[in-house]
Amino acid sequence: MTKTMRAALITHYRQAVPVIQRVPLPTPNANDVLVQIKAASINPIDLKTMAGGLKFLLPYQMPLIIGSDFAGTVVAVGTHVTDFQVGDAVYGRPRKHRIGTFAEYLAVDQADIALKPRNLSFTEAAAIPLVGLTSYQALHDLLRLRPGQRVLIQAGAGGIGTVAIQLAKTLGAKVTTTTSQKNTAFVQSLGADKVIDYHHEDFATTLSGYDAVFDTLGGPNLLRAFQIVKPGGRVVSISGLPDAKFARSYGLPWWKRQLIRLASHRLTQTAKRAHVSYHFLFMKPSHAQLTILTDLIAQERLRPIIDRTFPLTELPEALAYSHQGHARGKIVVTMV
Ligand SMILES: NC(=O)c1ccc[n+]([C@@H]2O[C@H](COP(=O)([O-])OP(=O)(O)OC[C@H]3O[C@@H](n4cnc5c(N)ncnc54)[C@H](OP(=O)(O)O)[C@@H]3O)[C@@H](O)[C@H]2O)c1
């Protein structure tokens, strides 16, 4: 008899809420482990995927189990798996065409996971992979922050911001962040050196001479970020428009590359005039970088911040809470 599991899936884009139903367990490939998921976090990409907002970059086949990162226990391993064994506690971010973590089981490539930090519960660990990897790739790989450099991290109280502030401090940077006044003391407790209350202060006219901006907001906030960065500095966005460099490296067909080039023309020109480099980041899974995050967590230099947890049966409520856009840290769904 086929084994089944509970999973949250959509059958079409713009479906209001995912349905939770029983589906067959996934079968691991040779390089995969089968994980029994204990917890998975909400990321805005889940809402964007459901809405069809990422179809241009990331078209999916339906039905689709949603959910982008997780923590759980290995219950089976593929024939080529060398690094993990049954019983290991792991966490990770599956590659883009193999999402589906709001489910009781996931088959995931061994290259996309790492051992769970021992000093975190499964619920805490599930709050790390997607935001941790994104922040690391932005701050370390693309902005190349060095000790003493000044960086603006937008939306410091959010899922990304709460991890990015801590990571930027481990790189020795001086961190400025934007948030509502109610979160000022909170982001300072994570390491922010300077806080801008975005309801009452305009970062673009208040700040100047920065080495780097990590933009999580996109739109006008991204365009105005170039005003505060000194020549030779860098801006990375995870919410703005992709640029031509990204389109080439992402392997998009020529007509999509062309559309991106036209859409990002104003942004590219703004960066050029300011003598500032611009990169759009679409994060990637990475075993090696998850291991770096695990070490930082073990050294207590990085900790997950969880706003609320919900059981899988309340996934629609968890997504609705995320949609409000004011979470303080992460929202985690447990598979109880
Ligand atoms: N490209 C990629 O690879 C990638 C990866 C991860 C995330 N992302 C994107 O990055 C964005 C942020 O993700 P997230 O997980 O951090 O989202 P999130 O947790 O939902 O962000 C919520 C936070 O944003 C703050 N906020 C809202 N508007 C703000 C503003 N104008 N200025 C400053 N803070 C503001 C809120 O603070 P207040 O309550 O104080 O308003 C709240 O704490 C999303 O669009 C997501 O899709 C992209």
Side-chain angles (χ1 to χ4, degrees), residues 151-287:
V151 61
L152 169 67
I153 296 172
Q154 293 280 24
I160 290 282
T162 48
V163 164
I165 292 171
Q166 298 178 72
L167 281 180
K169 292 309 291 181
T170 69
L171 295 168
K174 292 189 188 127
V175 176
T176 298
T177 195
T178 53
T179 190
S180 304
Q181 206 224 329
K182 65 178 190 302
N183 286 325
T184 299
F186 167 62
V187 294
Q188 282 169 334
S189 75
L190 298 172
D193 300 289
K194 184 176 171 70
V195 184
I196 303 259
D197 168 7
Y198 73 89
H199 293 289
H200 298 109
E201 281 176 274
D202 176 8
F203 77 92
T205 50
T206 311
L207 309 175
S208 64
Y210 272 61
D211 298 286
V213 173
F214 179 19
D215 170 72
T216 61
L217 299 171
N221 286 299
L222 170 57
L223 274 176
R224 301 178 80 231
F226 295 93
Q227 293 175 30
I228 73 158
V229 179
K230 57 190 183 196
R234 291 164 178 258
V235 173
V236 166
S237 179
I238 53 172
S239 289
L241 283 172
D243 57 339
K245 275 192 306 284
F246 168 82
R248 273 195 304 278
S249 67
Y250 198 69
L252 292 172
W254 73 267
W255 65 272
K256 285 195 176 183
R257 293 205 304 270
Q258 206 53 14
L259 282 178
I260 285 178
R261 202 176 58 79
L262 289 173
S264 62
H265 180 73
R266 184 163 167 220
L267 187 56
T268 313
Q269 289 307 108
T270 305
K272 213 174 185 174
R273 272 198 302 275
H275 301 286
V276 167
S277 76
Y278 172 67
H279 294 270
F280 173 77
L281 168 67
F282 203 0
M283 63 81 59
K284 295 190 183 76
S286 164
H287 165 77

Side-chain angles (χ1 to χ4, degrees), residues 92-165:
R93 183 320 185 221
R95 54 197 61 188
K96 56 183 189 260
H97 286 294
R98 301 193 63 196
I99 62 168
T101 61
F102 296 137
E104 288 172 320
Y105 292 87
L106 174 80
V108 57
D109 195 293
Q110 62 177 335
D112 300 348
I113 64 172
L115 290 174
K116 174 183 84 61
R118 284 168 188 268
N119 53 339
L120 295 187
S121 66
F122 285 104
T123 300
E124 290 168 327
I128 290 287
L130 193 143
V131 293
L133 290 169
T134 307
S135 301
Y136 188 85
Q137 289 163 18
L139 301 169
H140 178 270
D141 298 354
L142 294 175
L143 293 175
R144 300 184 199 157
L145 283 183
R146 293 192 306 276
Q149 287 192 323
R150 288 194 298 166
V151 61
L152 169 67
I153 296 172
Q154 293 280 24
I160 290 282
T162 48
V163 164
I165 292 171

